[in-house]
Amino acid sequence: MKRTHDCGQLRESNSGDIVVLAGWVNNFRDQGKGLAFIDLRDRGGITQVVFNLEDCDAQTVEYAHSLRREDVVAIKGVVQPRQGKANEKLSTGSIEVIGQTIEVLNRTDNPPILPDEHDGEKISEEVRLKYRYIDLRRPRMQEILRIRHLVARTTREYFDEHGFLEIETPLLIKSTPEGARDFIVPSRIYPGEWYALPQSPQIFKQILMVAGCDRYLQICKCLRDEDPRADRQAEFTQIDLELSFVDRDDILDLMEGFMRSLFKQVIDVDLGDIPRMPWSEAMERFGSDRPDLRFDLELQDISELAARTDFRVFTEALAKEDGAVKAIRVPDGAGSFSRKVTDGYNEVARAHGAGGLPTVKYTANGFETGIAKFLDGIGDDLVALLGLEPGDAVLFTADTRDIANTALGAVRLAAAADLDLIPEGRHDALWVIDFPMFKWDDDGKRWASEHHPFTAPRADQLEILESNPGKCLSDGYDFVVNGSEAGGGSIRIHDPNVQKTVFSLLNLSEEEAKSKFGFLLDALRYGAPPHGGIAFGLDRLVMLLAGTDNIRDVIAFPKTQNGGDLMSQAPGPVDMAQLEELQLSVVEKAKSD
RNA sequence: GGGGCGGUAGCUCAAUUGGUUAGAGUUCUGGACUGUCGAUCCAGUGGUUGCGGGUUCGAGUCCCGUCCGCCUCGCCA
């Protein structure tokens, strides 16, 4: 029997048609010897099939009674309007198929989990990952896989229309010193030497620009041997792009068009104008380089007022180099912030480097609790500056400007989640621009790239690149949606001399740079066009579009926090012969204690 | 590498201060039922309490170690 329709297709207009459906038995309801209902499920949906003695022989009805959940069957029958009540939960709920013939394609063992819409979300992730082939049968998972497909399809369509070529870059490449830890692959032909798997195709896509490819696109796997998070996997997918003869605004304009069509086509959301915010403003107002603009609770600088208090936490912070006191006003926070809640925020602030989180409530009687007694001299000015109303709470951080901002930024997110200030279904995007070129690495006592070592300084910043690298701004940009970094890129350095200067600021010797990136430096010497690009995190875009906060939900076969695949049991040992061929041996690490 | 939460029947969970034979729902098995749709009703199967030690008259419960899962800090150019 050949399938004629999928299980989501049939409507009342099909009444009288003879059809063949195939799929999994989602559920069955036996109603006695002569009547049985089978809910048949495939990727398209669910259709009810009914077997009874009026429409088929007793043997077939009995066969229908023997079907169990997740058996795989093909069923031939006639479409008719529902005899009983319609089921509004199903797209096919107004019809049913009168079953006439059953072909069992495969019986199932008793399944460890069921891809049931009611239980699916409750099953522990550990079991879902082990039996991923059953978990993925769930309509929700099928929906996410489809969203992911739509993202890839829309990407290829949009960039094809704008003159991009899809070009593959190698997976076995040379290890690079900057950035994340590499996954490495031993070379059989050169024993003792190693390939690295790409953290991104960065250098290759720049070389494609030197090669005259003009506009490049790739949907590619990237691999970074670092610990995962809820929104991060060691193995992930990027939408990787690079363009020649463009400036920053050309790229941002083109990518905005892409993002708008993506959100429109996949979830029918209008992103509207996408604001561009300097990095310094994002840090000052939101305490984050990826601000969530769906709610207020903006950070305010109260350093001048704080300097007039006798509160040592404030005055000692302000005595530091580039010290600051920041505050957020939490409307109606006085009532909802118990001691337990503010203690929790205190921990958040401490986890981000702040010494603590001074707190005060503002009521009809003025400031109360917490640090109220220290605010006597500045009370009215503080009320005016923050726009306080009775019932508000105020949270403070005091430290170096950087720590005060990031710690309070983290508290801002925690408070918004607690107070339910984040609107459902809303998507607020922005570009963060004018990043610093470098950040100071205190451990390594050197400058490190804020973005990556090929990011160009802004043209108007070239003169301070060497004299004041900490203040030098780059031509980099991040695309941020709902507080999640969904993409990032930059105009690249196309002048080999500027590239050399940046390498030396990163404390990369000329010799080292030559051995690691020599081929890029060479390429830049032979007629490199001005170019720039961006990479979007495809997994994170799918998360946003699908409305999940778990990256494993948007990857068909994801890995766990320990980098394992619970289904295939990777990683695993290999044969001694394989190691010998590679001239490798495993050395047991001595216990340090 | 650090911190936190968790692991009990195939699945989701319960088990009082350390105390009787570790329970419930569901899946599954058998039976009843001709319009159900998370069907219902009756009966039954199902346990290395993650694993290894220890304390105790007695451990799912306390202690030590270890493995696994999740969240998080570090890390992620």
Side-chain angles (χ1 to χ4, degrees), chain A residues 269-374:
Chain A
V269 161
D270 226 322
L271 271 191
D273 285 335
I274 298 173
R276 299 175 187 184
M277 185 184 295
W279 174 85
S280 55
E281 183 183 338
M283 296 305 295
E284 287 298 325
R285 290 175 59 196
F286 303 99
S288 170
D289 58 4
R290 44 184 172 94
D292 192 335
L293 302 186
R294 290 175 297 175
F295 57 96
D296 294 329
L297 298 184
E298 282 193 32
L299 282 56
Q300 312 243 24
D301 191 332
I302 63 148
S303 300
E304 282 181 28
L305 292 179
R308 285 163 39 200
T309 67
D310 294 327
F311 187 34
R312 269 188 32 212
V313 172
F314 286 178
T315 53
E316 282 177 7
L318 291 170
K320 291 185 185 184
E321 191 188 340
D322 203 23
V325 179
K326 305 286 299 241
I328 49 179
R329 166 190 173 234
V330 182
D332 301 319
S336 49
F337 282 176
S338 64
R339 182 62 196 266
K340 194 179 163 192
V341 171
T342 53
D343 279 356
Y345 298 153
N346 199 56
E347 280 310 304
V348 172
R350 292 168 64 92
H352 288 80
L357 186 77
T359 304
V360 75
K361 292 176 178 179
Y362 181 64
T363 71
N365 301 322
F367 290 104
E368 289 180 358
T369 74
I371 61 164
K373 63 177 174 178
F374 295 107

Side-chain angles (χ1 to χ4, degrees), chain A residues 160-464:
Chain A
D160 177 63
E161 281 164 21
H162 287 86
F164 285 71
L165 296 187
E166 191 165 351
I167 303 172
E168 288 160 283
T169 53
L171 279 178
L172 296 173
I173 66 173
K174 201 165 178 178
S175 180
T176 51
E178 291 282 313
R181 189 181 296 118
D182 281 323
F183 281 103
I184 58 175
V185 178
S187 160
R188 176 180 54 81
I189 297 170
Y190 300 97
E193 299 198 16
W194 306 80
Y195 299 100
L197 300 174
Q199 298 175 26
S200 81
Q202 183 62 37
I203 294 174
F204 285 94
K205 70 174 173 176
Q206 287 189 241
I207 287 178
L208 285 172
M209 296 301 100
V210 181
C213 292
D214 207 284
R215 292 184 167 205
Y216 144 93
L217 156 72
Q218 186 179 198
I219 297 177
C220 57
K221 279 288 177 76
C222 301
L223 300 115
R224 299 176 185 178
D225 189 4
E226 301 290 351
D227 289 352
R229 286 287 185 278
D231 62 350
R232 221 168 71 191
Q233 284 263 300
E235 178 180 354
F236 64 101
T237 304
Q238 277 189 349
I239 299 170
D240 198 44
L241 299 148
E242 197 78 7
L243 303 73
S244 294
F245 306 113
V246 290
D247 62 25
R248 184 193 72 189
D249 288 348
D250 295 328
I251 295 177
L252 297 195
D253 290 344
L254 187 64
M255 298 305 152
E256 266 179 50
F258 170 48
M259 280 299 134
R260 272 198 286 269
S261 68
L262 194 61
F263 276 75
K264 188 71 191 167
Q265 288 190 43
V266 179
I267 55 170
D268 198 27
V269 161
D270 226 322
L271 271 191
D273 285 335
I274 298 173
R276 299 175 187 184
M277 185 184 295
W279 174 85
S280 55
E281 183 183 338
M283 296 305 295
E284 287 298 325
R285 290 175 59 196
F286 303 99
S288 170
D289 58 4
R290 44 184 172 94
D292 192 335
L293 302 186
R294 290 175 297 175
F295 57 96
D296 294 329
L297 298 184
E298 282 193 32
L299 282 56
Q300 312 243 24
D301 191 332
I302 63 148
S303 300
E304 282 181 28
L305 292 179
R308 285 163 39 200
T309 67
D310 294 327
F311 187 34
R312 269 188 32 212
V313 172
F314 286 178
T315 53
E316 282 177 7
L318 291 170
K320 291 185 185 184
E321 191 188 340
D322 203 23
V325 179
K326 305 286 299 241
I328 49 179
R329 166 190 173 234
V330 182
D332 301 319
S336 49
F337 282 176
S338 64
R339 182 62 196 266
K340 194 179 163 192
V341 171
T342 53
D343 279 356
Y345 298 153
N346 199 56
E347 280 310 304
V348 172
R350 292 168 64 92
H352 288 80
L357 186 77
T359 304
V360 75
K361 292 176 178 179
Y362 181 64
T363 71
N365 301 322
F367 290 104
E368 289 180 358
T369 74
I371 61 164
K373 63 177 174 178
F374 295 107
L375 301 178
D376 285 344
I378 63 165
D380 291 345
D381 291 340
L382 191 60
V383 170
L385 181 62
L386 299 181
L388 294 180
E389 308 211 355
D392 292 349
V394 186
L395 310 172
F396 303 89
T397 50
D399 210 297
T400 62
R401 184 164 292 277
D402 186 38
I403 291 175
N405 281 334
T406 49
L408 197 54
V411 170
R412 173 179 177 264
L413 293 178
D418 283 352
L419 296 171
D420 221 10
L421 296 179
I422 303 174
E424 285 281 317
R426 185 161 161 179
H427 296 89
D428 275 315
L430 79 153
W431 291 102
V432 178
I433 58 174
D434 296 343
F435 279 82
M437 279 289 286
F438 308 102
K439 57 193 169 203
W440 182 251
D441 174 4
D442 227 21
D443 293 336
K445 300 292 177 207
R446 62 182 186 103
W447 293 107
S449 292
E450 173 72 32
H451 203 76
H452 60 55
F454 318 108
T455 298
R458 261 174 38 173
D460 62 357
Q461 304 281 307
L462 258 177
E463 54 196 28
I464 63 163

Side-chain angles (χ1 to χ4, degrees), chain A residues 1-69:
Chain A
M1 287 199 295
K2 280 278 181 195
R3 171 165 76 169
T4 61
H5 296 76
D6 76 34
C7 294
Q9 268 181 313
L10 297 172
R11 297 291 182 273
E12 281 187 85
S13 58
N14 297 99
S15 295
D17 293 358
I18 294 172
V19 298
V20 177
L21 300 178
W24 289 260
V25 174
N26 192 63
N27 201 359
F28 59 92
R29 290 173 295 280
D30 291 349
Q31 293 291 133
K33 288 270 182 290
L35 182 64
F37 296 96
I38 302 293
D39 290 338
L40 199 64
R41 183 196 72 242
D42 65 12
R43 204 183 70 187
I46 293 176
T47 300
Q48 171 168 288
V49 184
V50 55
F51 291 91
N52 63 60
L53 290 173
E54 284 95 74
D55 297 293
C56 65
D57 56 88
Q59 205 182 351
T60 303
V61 179
E62 201 177 317
Y63 203 33
H65 278 298
S66 78
L67 294 178
R68 288 296 174 267
R69 289 178 161 206

Side-chain angles (χ1 to χ4, degrees), chain A residues 61-194:
Chain A
V61 179
E62 201 177 317
Y63 203 33
H65 278 298
S66 78
L67 294 178
R68 288 296 174 267
R69 289 178 161 206
E70 300 310 307
D71 282 337
V72 185
V73 298
I75 293 172
K76 186 179 189 177
V78 181
V79 181
Q80 72 169 15
R82 285 262 177 132
Q83 293 298 94
K85 262 192 299 190
N87 186 341
E88 285 169 15
K89 293 177 201 161
L90 299 180
S91 66
T92 61
S94 60
I95 59 98
E96 62 193 356
V97 171
I98 307 287
Q100 293 170 334
T101 316
I102 301 174
E103 183 181 347
V104 172
L105 303 172
N106 208 350
R107 293 273 188 188
T108 178
D109 283 355
N110 188 15
I113 60 174
L114 288 169
D116 187 278
E117 60 179 309
H118 305 288
D119 295 334
E121 305 285 336
K122 294 181 199 157
I123 298 168
S124 75
E125 202 172 2
E126 204 171 344
V127 183
R128 286 176 47 202
L129 291 177
K130 182 173 178 187
Y131 301 103
R132 192 59 158 176
Y133 35 82
I134 301 177
D135 186 47
L136 288 176
R137 290 178 195 162
R138 289 164 49 210
R140 170 62 173 158
M141 296 308 284
Q142 292 283 329
E143 180 195 9
I144 292 174
L145 291 175
R146 188 174 151 276
I147 288 173
R148 192 169 175 122
H149 161 78
L150 283 177
V151 170
R153 193 188 72 178
T154 305
T155 300
R156 292 200 164 95
E157 281 172 2
Y158 181 89
F159 289 108
D160 177 63
E161 281 164 21
H162 287 86
F164 285 71
L165 296 187
E166 191 165 351
I167 303 172
E168 288 160 283
T169 53
L171 279 178
L172 296 173
I173 66 173
K174 201 165 178 178
S175 180
T176 51
E178 291 282 313
R181 189 181 296 118
D182 281 323
F183 281 103
I184 58 175
V185 178
S187 160
R188 176 180 54 81
I189 297 170
Y190 300 97
E193 299 198 16
W194 306 80

